[in-house]
Amino acid sequence: MLMLTLHSLPWKWILVSLVITAGLASLLRKGSREANTLSLSQGELKLPSWPREINGWQVLHLSDLHFRDGSDLPDRVMAIIQHTHPDCVIITGDLLAPGGKGRAEAKRFLQNVSARWPTFAVPGNKDALRDRMHVDRSELLDEWRSTEAKVLLNSAIPVSYQGKRIWIAGVDDPHTRKDDLAAALRDVPAGEPVVLLAHSPVVIKRDGIERASVIFSGHTHGGQICLPGGTPLYIHTSLPCRYSSGVHTVANGESLLVVTRGVGHTRLRLRLWCPPEMTLWRLQSIGE
Ligand SMILES: [Fe+2]
């Protein structure tokens, strides 16, 4: 009787289910581990329109931190970047997690970073105190401004390096169409070097983008969940998937676009074949 019952069980399907469950569990473990593995990389950008007198200027690029309430991520990031010596830190938005979470953590992080290095930030589409409607930002941005960080909302600020002027310009979030590139560059004299911060790389579609010597952006998370080898499945912009991350020549060869995979993650607390990224960039003119 027992023999007959065991024999009648669908063993083949039970085995297949067990293999799939074990595979998924292993993938989830890998994704969780990868999402929490922070590292800092270094690179050089060869820019077509960068004066050689300011070669070697360095920026530390952070984006999409997506701090959650009570998260230790701000401290973990600080522990990694504290030994670097950038000329400035640039943050291309999405410090908060969806739903306005991580607000206190974002402020504390900006306080710590801006107390140590000149810091410039633009908001992302998640930097709102109420999600979806993208409203209630002024209170949040006032908190950021209460630190020493400069919050750029369609504006530009000059900095000096080797006696020469570099403009750091920033647009409001292009993903939600709050950006105004013309306003951001209004005070910038023609021909002067411009480092443009924009949360979404979709800003490369805007008129006048060739005035930026280099554009730093994030938003895509590099796809966050990718196929083995790093091919993204979805990047949340109208740009082709090749813009998910990396350095791209844009504006008819006049400018470079840098898209970072960012530091944090949203929705699924996972990253697959798409690790977090923080980069210290050294800017050079193309002939050097
Ligand atoms: Fe993001």
Side-chain angles (χ1 to χ4, degrees), residues 38 62 65 67 72-82 109 263 278:
L38 301 180
L62 306 173
L65 295 124
F67 296 131
D72 65 352
L73 185 59
D75 297 330
R76 290 168 55 217
V77 172
M78 277 304 290
I80 290 173
I81 67 175
Q82 66 176 333
F109 182 74
V263 178
M278 298 183 271

Side-chain angles (χ1 to χ4, degrees), residues 73-92:
L73 185 59
D75 297 330
R76 290 168 55 217
V77 172
M78 277 304 290
I80 290 173
I81 67 175
Q82 66 176 333
H83 301 298
T84 63
H85 302 283
D87 293 293
C88 71
V89 175
I90 53 174
I91 303 176
T92 48

Side-chain angles (χ1 to χ4, degrees), residues 64-66 93-94 125-126 199 219-221 266:
D64 296 85
L65 295 124
H66 291 297
D94 275 8
N125 55 304
K126 295 296 183 211
H199 177 58
H219 179 67
T220 63
H221 297 194
T266 47

